[in-house]
Amino acid sequence: MNFNIDMFDLHMHSDHSSDGVLSPDEILTVTRSRGINMFSITDHNSVASADVMKWNEGKYGSQTLYINGVELSLYHGDREVHVCAYGYNASCNTLAGILEVYHRNRILQTELRIEKLQDSGFRVDYGEVMQAAGGKMPSGVTMLKVLARYPENREALFDYLEGEKSNSPYTNFYFDYFTKGGKGYVHVPLLDFYDTVEKMKDKAVLIIAHPSLYTDRHISELVIDGIDGIEAYSSYHSAENVEYYKQYARDNKLLVTAGSDFHGERIKPGIHLGGHGCTDKGVAEKFLERVTSYEKGYIFI
């Protein structure tokens, strides 16, 4: 494809993610103001943003390239691993079926997480959490907001509300409570890693997202048949992380991608659109060559 990429960002979240702030249209406005002319909204287990973006097709004379994206929450054994799928057809029945299974399992996970929090001494009610989620799947953001409503919870939440973890309270709360070893952790395999990759491998470009977060998994355990690349450039990664994953990708003939993992200032302070540290347009060009081989998985805006 003959398309001149100025700036790009392949990992971001809108308010169609349970922990996103900006609407897809607001994200489009910000990306254009920052000179980002290739991007993908990768909402957590939701493809709603692609439907919204479709309404913007051709709005600015086809100067911006939008690529369908979704961040899938998969279980590799007892470890949650995120895989970004790009370039899928909006009418993909396989993906629709995968997301339906995810949402059923997510309800069960929410119920069990609340029971765990109650057992830990927190005051929290399932109905209130679901109401606060506003029709979306409850996230760590939802949980912390509901918990913070009750004075009897605030002592246990001090670090997140006023203390040393209040600089990024929602992210810190999620990792402390709902990842393995946390007080609210429950093992509910939302989607199986191997099964989902097998189903989607010919229907989208599949990228391991922010791999440095999976501290008990070597990248070689995650790069199975069907995985096309690694998000080497990420707001989570140090310079050493970036070089390591770039080299691994080169050695194994994998794509490299770059994403800010933007959620909004309230959720992830200091992480802005385009803030992934990659200035190598070759990264974007190689990704674009691969992703545009999937019919109807992108639009010009």
Side-chain angles (χ1 to χ4, degrees):
M1 174 186 290
N2 185 20
F3 181 76
N4 184 37
I5 302 165
D6 296 324
M7 293 177 62
F8 70 104
D9 191 343
L10 299 174
H11 188 162
M12 61 184 71
H13 297 274
S14 79
D15 60 2
H16 288 291
S17 285
S18 56
D19 54 359
V21 175
L22 301 184
S23 71
D25 285 335
E26 288 171 330
I27 285 177
L28 175 59
T29 298
V30 176
T31 55
R32 285 182 51 76
S33 72
R34 295 195 171 180
I36 297 170
N37 70 336
M38 185 175 87
F39 73 103
S40 180
I41 299 176
T42 52
D43 285 322
H44 293 296
N45 311 291
S46 170
V47 297
S49 285
D51 296 333
V52 175
M53 282 295 120
K54 185 68 177 173
W55 290 100
N56 289 296
E57 189 168 9
K59 183 176 181 179
Y60 298 106
S62 300
Q63 297 176 10
T64 299
L65 180 60
Y66 176 77
I67 297 163
N68 289 348
V70 59
E71 186 174 12
L72 298 171
S73 302
L74 312 181
Y75 268 82
H76 185 275
D78 61 356
R79 158 65 69 182
E80 185 175 337
V81 173
H82 292 182
V83 172
C84 288
Y86 298 100
Y88 59 82
N89 190 312
S91 301
C92 179
N93 289 328
T94 300
L95 180 56
I98 287 169
L99 294 179
E100 183 179 349
V101 171
Y102 168 84
H103 286 290
R104 286 202 305 266
N105 290 340
R106 188 75 164 80
I107 291 293
L108 173 60
Q109 184 190 54
T110 299
E111 293 173 350
L112 296 176
R113 280 177 170 176
I114 288 172
E115 287 181 10
K116 282 273 194 173
L117 291 173
Q118 290 169 337
D119 291 343
S120 297
F122 283 108
R123 179 179 175 183
V124 60
D125 175 74
Y126 174 79
E128 187 177 5
V129 169
M130 295 304 291
Q131 184 178 30
K136 303 173 188 176
M137 286 294 105
S139 64
V141 175
T142 313
M143 293 286 196
L144 182 55
K145 284 182 175 179
V146 172
L147 289 169
R149 292 175 182 175
Y150 297 102
E152 55 265 51
N153 293 336
R154 295 186 72 87
E155 182 178 352
L157 299 175
F158 176 83
D159 280 351
Y160 308 97
L161 303 179
E162 301 177 53
E164 61 182 16
K165 298 183 179 182
S166 60
N167 62 321
S168 185
Y170 302 113
T171 301
N172 287 325
F173 179 77
Y174 177 84
F175 281 119
D176 287 350
Y177 274 82
F178 296 132
T179 55
K180 189 176 180 182
K183 292 180 179 179
Y185 172 77
V186 292
H187 181 53
V188 178
L190 304 177
L191 294 168
D192 180 73
F193 180 87
Y194 294 97
D195 179 61
T196 305
V197 170
E198 178 64 27
K199 287 178 178 176
M200 288 299 297
K201 68 179 183 180
D202 296 321
K203 297 175 176 63
V205 175
L206 303 180
I207 304 292
I208 301 294
H210 39 59
S212 69
L213 296 187
Y214 319 126
T215 54
D216 59 350
R217 296 290 190 278
H218 189 270
I219 189 63
S220 61
E221 298 178 72
L222 304 178
V223 177
I224 62 172
D225 179 45
I227 294 294
D228 297 285
I230 306 169
E231 187 180 69
Y233 293 91
S234 169
S235 56
Y236 287 105
H237 288 177
S238 66
E240 291 76 14
N241 290 147
V242 172
E243 289 306 315
Y244 174 79
Y245 291 120
K246 283 171 58 181
Q247 186 62 53
Y248 186 89
R250 283 193 293 267
D251 292 344
N252 292 275
K253 297 180 172 58
L254 298 166
L255 289 173
V256 165
T257 67
S260 63
D261 201 10
F262 170 86
H263 285 69
E265 188 65 21
R266 251 189 319 112
I267 310 303
K268 288 191 175 180
I271 305 301
H272 59 83
L273 289 168
H276 47 63
C278 179
T279 58
D280 182 358
K281 288 189 179 181
V283 167
E285 290 165 355
K286 288 176 183 176
F287 172 81
L288 181 59
E289 182 180 353
R290 180 77 61 87
V291 82
T292 51
S293 66
Y294 289 88
E295 186 182 2
K296 299 180 179 178
Y298 56 92
I299 61 170
F300 289 98
I301 297 172

